[in-house]
Amino acid sequence: MSFYIGRETSKLWKRICAETTTEINLLAENWKYLLAGLVFQYVHGLAARGVHYLHKPAPTLQDVGFFLLPELGQDKAYISETLFSLIFLSFVLWTFHPFIFKSRKIYTVVIWCRVLAFLVASQVLRIITFYSTQLPGPNYHCREGSNLATLPHPDSVFEVLFINFPHGVVYGCGDLIFSSHMIFTLVFVLTYQKYGTRRSIKQLGWLLAVVQSLLIVASRKHYTVDVVVAWYTVNLVVFFIDKKLPELPDRSIAAATLLPLSIKDKDGRTKEENPKLLNGNSGDPVDWRQRTQVNGKIMEDGNTLHVDSAMNGA
């Protein structure tokens, strides 16, 4: 038992080292894209913080989802955040599964380049949208009478740049159309839909996306329109951006090219994949010269190597 554990541990360590080497090479080529995507996450948070200064609390707007879904209340607002955290963490772990499992289809660095491209494009549209029209926030801390509904004028530019993380992110107001939680959720689900391998997990992902949408509205964190717009906008963004990006390398093909070109029979002798042809040609694509036979002797390229000169008594 200990021998088996030691052997499997050794295999796992070799797999991790090999995958790390591959991913480091990919990171050296694509680090600029990853850095740009991560920096924009801060820009997106800064924009959401900025619109909070413009937010003016007012009575909650009429909303169909508020009529159809019962209000969860402030004490149960954590449910939607817990589900979102589960989706987020599960996707992150899946993107790193090539380091552990043998059956792998993606490269971690490349898949995150694509994910960040989808996120940035969606977030640019989101920033333009919520700065175009500021709606009164339906969340509890954004309603009239709440001290967090409006922000006082900043004393310095650093107060804005630091965005009061994480308090400023959790208790933001004004960045409504469209839902940022749904951007991340749908990008993750769509990415796994294309590159994932388990059908049951794909179906579960879509189910969780629907449940997440309902919980966001039931928690009164967004209006229904914020969620609806996110559903068709993110799907369209991913559809068009995915067509512009180069296709993800197929790891199964790359692995197949590393297989040996010959096998051994039971006697230990090597059998070439390209056996010699009947006319004497080798299976080697370099040696494709036409060879014919004259009186049992071989001719190459039309030049006779040896021909019997004594024919018919001459």
Side-chain angles (χ1 to χ4, degrees):
M1 184 66 179
S2 60
F3 172 76
Y4 174 79
I5 296 176
R7 184 181 61 181
E8 293 300 319
T9 302
S10 177
K11 289 181 180 179
L12 177 61
W13 176 248
K14 291 180 180 179
R15 191 179 306 129
I16 293 175
C17 292
E19 189 67 25
T20 301
T21 302
T22 302
E23 295 292 347
I24 289 176
N25 293 332
L26 290 172
L27 182 61
E29 299 175 0
N30 300 283
W31 67 271
K32 294 180 181 179
Y33 305 108
L34 291 174
L35 181 61
L38 293 175
V39 168
F40 193 83
Q41 300 311 301
Y42 168 75
V43 174
H44 175 252
L46 189 64
R49 176 68 171 179
V51 80
H52 195 168
Y53 288 100
L54 304 176
H55 178 256
K56 294 182 179 180
T60 303
L61 301 179
Q62 184 174 348
D63 189 280
V64 175
F66 292 178
F67 285 109
L68 298 178
L69 296 175
E71 188 171 351
L72 290 180
Q74 288 182 280
D75 56 332
K76 296 181 180 179
Y78 68 91
I79 298 178
S80 63
E81 294 298 330
T82 302
L83 178 59
F84 176 76
S85 300
L86 175 63
I87 296 172
F88 190 96
L89 181 60
S90 299
F91 181 81
V92 171
L93 292 177
W94 171 74
T95 60
F96 284 92
H97 84 275
F99 288 86
I100 305 297
F101 298 101
K102 293 181 180 179
S103 58
R104 47 188 182 263
K105 186 180 177 182
I106 63 170
Y107 294 98
T108 303
V109 171
V110 180
I111 203 70
W112 274 108
C113 285
R114 301 180 76 89
V115 167
L116 288 172
F118 301 149
L119 291 175
V120 169
S122 300
Q123 288 167 341
V124 167
L125 296 177
R126 180 175 188 260
I127 293 172
I128 295 174
T129 304
F130 66 62
Y131 267 102
S132 299
T133 302
Q134 290 87 44
L135 302 178
N139 210 335
Y140 302 102
H141 63 269
C142 298
R143 298 177 183 178
E144 291 179 308
S146 173
N147 296 329
L148 301 175
T150 58
L151 292 178
H153 191 275
D155 296 330
S156 65
V157 66
F158 295 102
E159 184 178 341
V160 179
L161 294 178
F162 287 140
I163 66 176
N164 194 19
F165 184 84
H167 185 273
V169 175
V170 176
Y171 293 99
C173 297
D175 56 326
L176 293 175
I177 302 178
F178 42 96
S179 172
S180 179
H181 282 62
M182 290 309 302
I183 290 178
F184 281 89
T185 299
L186 291 173
V187 166
F188 293 164
V189 171
L190 288 168
T191 302
Y192 188 84
Q193 176 68 30
K194 183 173 182 179
Y195 298 108
T197 56
R198 295 183 179 274
R199 183 180 179 183
S200 58
I201 297 181
K202 294 179 182 181
Q203 295 173 341
L204 177 62
W206 287 112
L207 176 62
L208 292 179
V210 173
V211 173
Q212 176 73 15
S213 303
L214 299 176
L215 287 176
I216 289 175
V217 177
S219 300
R220 303 302 188 253
K221 296 179 179 180
H222 279 277
Y223 293 107
T224 306
V225 65
D226 306 337
V227 175
V228 172
V229 171
W231 268 91
Y232 64 74
T233 302
V234 175
N235 274 277
L236 289 174
V237 166
V238 172
F239 176 79
F240 286 108
I241 297 295
D242 186 65
K243 287 185 174 294
K244 297 295 182 181
L245 295 176
E247 189 52 60
L248 204 65
D250 191 343
R251 299 196 67 158
S252 60
I253 296 178
T257 59
L258 300 178
L259 294 177
L261 297 179
S262 63
I263 57 176
K264 290 185 177 181
D265 59 8
K266 295 181 179 179
D267 298 330
R269 294 172 298 179
T270 301
K271 292 183 177 180
E272 298 297 332
E273 281 190 335
N274 297 319
K276 290 185 177 180
L277 303 179
L278 294 178
N279 62 357
N281 285 351
S282 170
D284 189 353
V286 177
D287 189 10
W288 282 354
R289 295 172 293 176
Q290 184 177 3
R291 300 178 181 181
T292 59
Q293 292 184 348
V294 177
N295 292 334
K297 307 301 180 181
I298 297 175
M299 297 177 60
E300 295 188 7
D301 298 328
N303 297 322
T304 305
L305 296 178
H306 176 77
V307 180
D308 293 337
S309 58
M311 298 178 63
N312 297 328

